[in-house]
Amino acid sequence: MVTGASSGIGAALARELAIAGWDLLVTARREQRLLVQQQELEEKHGVRVTVHAADLANPDDRAGLLAAIDTIPGGAACLVHAAGSAAWDRFEQLDPVQEGRRVSVATTATVELVGQVWPGILARDDGLLIIVSSLAAWQPTPYMATYAAGKAFQRSFAEALGAEAAAAGSSARVLALCPGPVDTEFAWVAGTQPLAERVPVLKPVELARETLKRAGAHKGSVAYVPGWRNRVSATAAAVLPRGLVTRISERNHRPR
Ligand SMILES: NC(=O)c1ccc[n+]([C@@H]2O[C@H](COP(=O)([O-])OP(=O)(O)OC[C@H]3O[C@@H](n4cnc5c(N)ncnc54)[C@H](OP(=O)(O)O)[C@@H]3O)[C@@H](O)[C@H]2O)c1
C-alpha cells in the first residue's frame, strides 16, 4: 500500500514496487491521477493496482481507507506512507487549521495506517514499512515549524517500531526515509522553490530505487538519509548544541 501515490516520491516508490512485482493499493486525494497510474502500472508491469482516493487529514476518509486495507487478500505486506505537504512562512502568517491538517497527515494518519498493517507486517518474512520523513526531522525548522515537528514524530515512531520488531525476532524491515530536497511538486505546494535552488536536489526515481535497495539490505529499523551532504548535515545536527542548530536552521530557512 502506498500513500501520496499521485505524485513525487510516493508515485516513484509505487512504480518501483510494481516493477518488483507487488500488487498495490494506492491512495491520495487526486483520484484521476491515481487512475492514470493504475492503468500504466497494470499494463506495463502486469500487477493489480487498486485505487482508493482519500484525504488523510479527514477522519471519515481515513476510516474508509482503513476498511479498504482490511479487504487486501492476506493483508498488506508493505506500507509506504509518503503523503505529506508543508507551507513555508512565519507561523503567524499561516492558517493554523491547515497546519493542523498537515500535522494530522504526519501524525494521526501515520499511527492509524501503521496500526492497521503492523501486525501483518510483523508476522511476515517480507514485511516492509517505509515512512517518508525528512531531513527536517533532525532539527527544528523555523518557517516550516509544524512540518519539521511532524517529520520528527515520523522518524522517532519508525525507529522505535523497528527496534520493537527486531527485539521480537520479526524479519520486518522499517525505514524512516529522510531525504533532503527532492524534485517533486512538494516545493510548489510549500512555496519553497527558493530554498530548493540553494542546495542539490535528488530525482524521485533515483531516490525510490536507492530506498528499496536500502530497505532490502537490513532488518529492524534505520533512518536513511540519502546523499552524503545531507548525511553530514544530519550528523552535525545530531552532535551540535540544539540552540546552535536551531539558529543555523533559522538562517538557512529564512525567507529572503
Ligand atoms: N520533495 C522534497 O523535497 C521532500 C524532502 C523531504 C521529505 N519529503 C516528504 O516526501 C513525501 C512526499 O512528498 P513529495 O516530495 O513526493 O511531494 P509531492 O509531489 O507534493 O507529493 C505529495 C503527495 O502527498 C499527497 N498528499 C498530500 N496531502 C495529502 C492529504 N491530506 N491526503 C492524502 N494525500 C495527501 C499528495 O497527493 P494529493 O495532492 O493527490 O492528495 C501527493 O501524492 C512528503 O511526506 C514530504 O514531506 C519531501
Side-chain angles (χ1 to χ4, degrees):
M1 167 170 177
V2 182
T3 77
S6 64
S7 170
I9 298 169
L13 280 164
R15 186 169 298 109
E16 293 304 316
L17 288 168
I19 290 169
W22 295 68
D23 290 335
L24 297 173
L25 170 61
V26 292
T27 186
R29 289 165 300 186
R30 289 171 290 180
E31 187 170 31
Q32 195 49 42
R33 286 230 191 163
L34 296 174
L35 292 169
V36 170
Q37 183 192 48
Q38 174 189 45
Q39 194 179 354
E40 182 209 320
L41 297 183
E42 289 191 341
E43 280 175 7
K44 278 198 188 155
H45 307 298
V47 295
R48 195 154 45 90
V49 179
T50 304
V51 167
H52 185 102
D55 180 348
L56 291 178
N58 178 316
D60 291 339
D61 279 18
R62 287 201 301 271
L65 185 56
L66 297 183
I69 294 172
D70 261 349
T71 66
I72 297 173
C78 164
L79 168 64
V80 174
H81 181 31
S85 65
W88 180 46
D89 210 337
R90 299 166 72 94
F91 183 62
E92 72 272 18
Q93 299 294 333
L94 298 171
D95 176 352
V97 174
Q98 286 305 325
E99 289 299 287
R101 289 170 60 83
R102 293 182 210 282
V103 170
S104 72
V105 174
T107 56
T108 310
T110 303
V111 174
E112 290 181 4
L113 289 169
V114 174
Q116 191 79 359
V117 299
W118 186 235
I121 285 180
L122 270 181
R124 300 176 63 118
D125 289 338
D126 59 351
L128 173 61
L129 171 63
I130 298 176
I131 297 182
V132 185
S133 174
S134 168
L135 190 57
W138 258 263
Q139 78 253 309
T141 305
Y143 314 112
M144 294 172 81
T146 58
Y147 176 70
K151 292 297 166 185
F153 173 87
Q154 290 187 313
R155 175 190 164 201
S156 175
F157 181 59
E159 289 179 309
L161 287 193
E164 286 184 25
S170 163
S171 305
R173 291 153 299 150
V174 183
L175 203 71
L177 174 59
C178 299
V182 187
D183 184 13
T184 66
E185 294 173 12
F186 179 85
W188 296 99
V189 174
T192 53
Q193 302 94 320
L195 283 181
E197 283 161 13
R198 297 176 197 170
V199 284
V201 173
L202 284 174
K203 293 273 171 227
V205 60
E206 290 158 13
L207 175 65
R209 286 182 187 151
E210 199 49 45
T211 299
L212 291 184
K213 218 185 289 168
R214 184 57 69 113
H218 79 101
K219 284 187 182 167
S221 79
V222 67
Y224 171 46
V225 180
W228 68 266
R229 280 190 188 81
N230 295 330
R231 280 196 285 278
V232 169
S233 163
T235 305
V239 298
L240 290 172
R242 184 89 161 167
L244 175 63
V245 168
T246 308
R247 284 198 299 281
I248 295 171
S249 177
E250 189 282 326
R251 206 190 51 207
N252 287 343
H253 293 90
R254 191 184 301 162
R256 285 177 189 157

